[in-house]
Amino acid sequence: MTAEDHLMAAERITDRLRVAVAAPLSEENRARVRELEPRIELVVDQSLLPPMRWPADFAGDPAWRRTPRQQHSYEALLDSADALYGIPDVDPSALARTVRANARLRWVHTMAAGGGSQVKAAGLGAAELDRVAFTTSAGVHGRPLAEFALFGVLAGAKDLPRLNRQQRAREWSGRWTMRQVSEQTVLVLGLGGIGRVVAAKLHALGARVVGTSRRDVTVPGVSEVVSPDRLVEVAPAVDAVVNTLPGTEATERLLDKRFFDALRPGATLVNVGRGNVVDEAALLEALDTGQVGFAALDVFETEPLPAASPLWDHDQVLVSPHTAALNAAEDRLIAELFAANATRLLDGDGLLNRVDTVEFY
């Protein structure tokens, strides 16, 4: 498609935006989208979408299957749209097929906050990435993830594993001094939508918050902002670490043996970002030596967490099955974010949460 064709296509969608609903979207939330942006034409066939088992279950029941005729209808619906609400079947290969089959497609909104990794997995070419804008649902998960992060930091400070062991053993031990979050320094990796909420909640408890960013930023509640390449340098002063970073080549195993060895002994680790930011072998070693005193993990290098993983049985680890972000309002919040971005697209404004197609976050 030539530059002139791109311009004509852009002009075509300034008055109306034909959106194929590629992921489950309730009638209530469809009505909400239409109310917020009347210029959207939602194209949806509920019979072609899998039933959700819980809120934000956009992949749906894995036992559900389309017939060949239904699959043909689903793909025809996707190929008729200017924009997609969701990655088809949360499947990168289905996204690639749709981008290549639908020359009019201009925008895809992903349900995940870390949707950039799904876009990367689609293996799209430079021209395709230039033609189609991709956005994520970053921000809608901020509050629930921040609460889990706060819970993890508090659990580490209050010796939750020891309390659990003693309760199971019916052991009334001698008293001991618990740590106070208000006296701790907490390192928050990433100061995006989630990290900023985490920082605010920790600051409200009186913690000193150190954040990481590759940019020179000022964030309320954050005492100091350091570059990610200074992690080992600041680690000795850190009592707890909260990771909110996405999974990219730059963040892969950022928390490695060098980092854990440099931490203040007994530090707490909470991961609500992506699992591959943490070197799990190095983490296990740090847990065994007591360098890390407690880890609250909602995400893992491999998901589901393999049954053979030592993390399952480790006394100092809390395993959460990637559920900390889920809340009853998530579907509605994503629908509202999508409608806001549709308005921006139709009005010629920049999109919120646009995926960086170089680093894919």
Side-chain angles (χ1 to χ4, degrees):
M1 183 179 286
T2 67
E4 183 179 357
D5 291 333
H6 279 301
L7 180 60
M8 290 174 63
E11 290 174 345
R12 186 183 68 243
I13 63 173
T14 53
D15 294 326
R16 297 286 295 174
L17 185 67
R18 182 178 172 87
V19 176
V21 178
L25 181 65
S26 70
E27 177 53 45
E28 179 182 2
N29 285 324
R30 294 200 295 270
R32 182 67 175 149
V33 169
R34 294 187 185 103
E35 174 189 0
L36 291 171
E37 181 43 80
R39 292 173 291 177
I40 287 178
E41 176 192 355
L42 282 180
V43 184
V44 59
D45 183 340
Q46 197 64 36
S47 70
L48 303 178
L49 299 172
M52 294 199 294
R53 296 159 293 174
W54 47 73
D57 180 28
F58 299 113
D61 185 347
W64 183 85
R65 294 287 186 277
R66 296 186 191 92
T67 66
R69 174 173 287 186
Q70 285 178 318
Q71 185 64 30
H72 177 79
S73 297
Y74 180 62
E75 291 179 358
L77 181 149
L78 301 176
D79 296 348
S80 72
D82 304 307
L84 301 184
Y85 182 87
I87 290 179
D89 297 326
V90 198
D91 181 353
S93 64
L95 173 62
R97 187 217 66 82
T98 306
V99 170
R100 288 162 186 160
N102 182 358
R104 69 186 279 176
L105 187 66
R106 292 293 173 271
W107 172 37
V108 176
H109 182 76
T110 73
M111 303 293 99
S117 61
Q118 298 169 340
V119 177
K120 180 180 181 181
L124 300 170
E128 293 164 335
L129 293 170
D130 181 60
R131 171 170 61 89
V132 182
F134 299 91
T135 57
T136 75
S137 295
V140 304
H141 314 91
R143 289 185 178 180
L145 286 179
E147 288 198 5
F148 184 88
L150 193 64
F151 160 68
V153 172
L154 283 164
K158 305 308 176 186
D159 297 313
L160 179 63
R162 179 175 179 176
L163 292 170
N164 281 335
R165 287 193 301 270
Q166 292 189 181
Q167 181 175 344
R168 287 194 300 268
R170 291 177 166 79
E171 175 190 352
W172 186 275
S173 71
R175 299 172 71 192
W176 73 90
T177 302
M178 291 184 174
R179 290 168 291 177
Q180 307 300 305
V181 173
S182 60
E183 299 171 356
Q184 292 192 335
T185 294
V186 183
L187 176 64
V188 177
L189 301 180
L191 293 173
I194 298 168
R196 287 171 180 252
V197 182
V198 171
K201 291 185 180 297
L202 289 167
H203 175 72
L205 285 182
R208 177 177 181 267
V209 181
V210 177
T212 68
S213 177
R214 291 183 295 180
R215 301 186 302 276
D216 183 15
V217 296
T218 300
V219 177
V222 177
S223 300
E224 181 182 3
V225 178
V226 300
S227 170
D229 59 17
R230 292 184 56 204
L231 287 181
V232 173
E233 176 187 336
V234 301
V238 168
D239 300 287
V241 183
V242 177
N243 174 54
T244 73
L245 290 169
T248 68
E249 290 183 7
T251 64
E252 186 169 1
R253 298 193 174 181
L254 185 65
L255 301 188
D256 58 8
K257 178 175 171 54
R258 288 180 64 244
F259 174 77
F260 290 126
D261 285 349
L263 272 178
R264 179 173 290 173
T268 296
L269 172 69
V270 182
N271 194 359
V272 293
R274 281 295 177 264
N276 62 1
V277 177
V278 175
D279 182 335
E280 289 182 1
L283 171 61
L284 280 161
E285 181 182 338
L287 285 160
D288 289 341
T289 63
Q291 195 68 17
V292 172
F294 176 69
L297 309 174
D298 185 55
V299 290
F300 302 86
E301 287 187 302
T302 300
E303 295 184 5
L305 183 64
S309 172
L311 291 170
W312 282 112
D313 298 317
H314 204 291
D315 280 349
Q316 303 302 114
V317 175
L318 178 68
V319 172
S320 169
H322 205 146
T323 195
L326 193 62
N327 77 100
E330 184 172 340
D331 293 2
R332 174 181 58 79
L333 293 172
I334 292 175
E336 289 174 353
L337 173 61
F338 177 82
N341 251 344
T343 297
R344 297 176 76 90
L345 180 68
L346 286 160
D347 291 345
D349 297 326
L351 295 174
L352 303 170
N353 297 346
R354 186 157 182 175
V355 171
D356 179 320
T357 54
V358 176
E359 296 192 37
F360 292 95
Y361 67 89

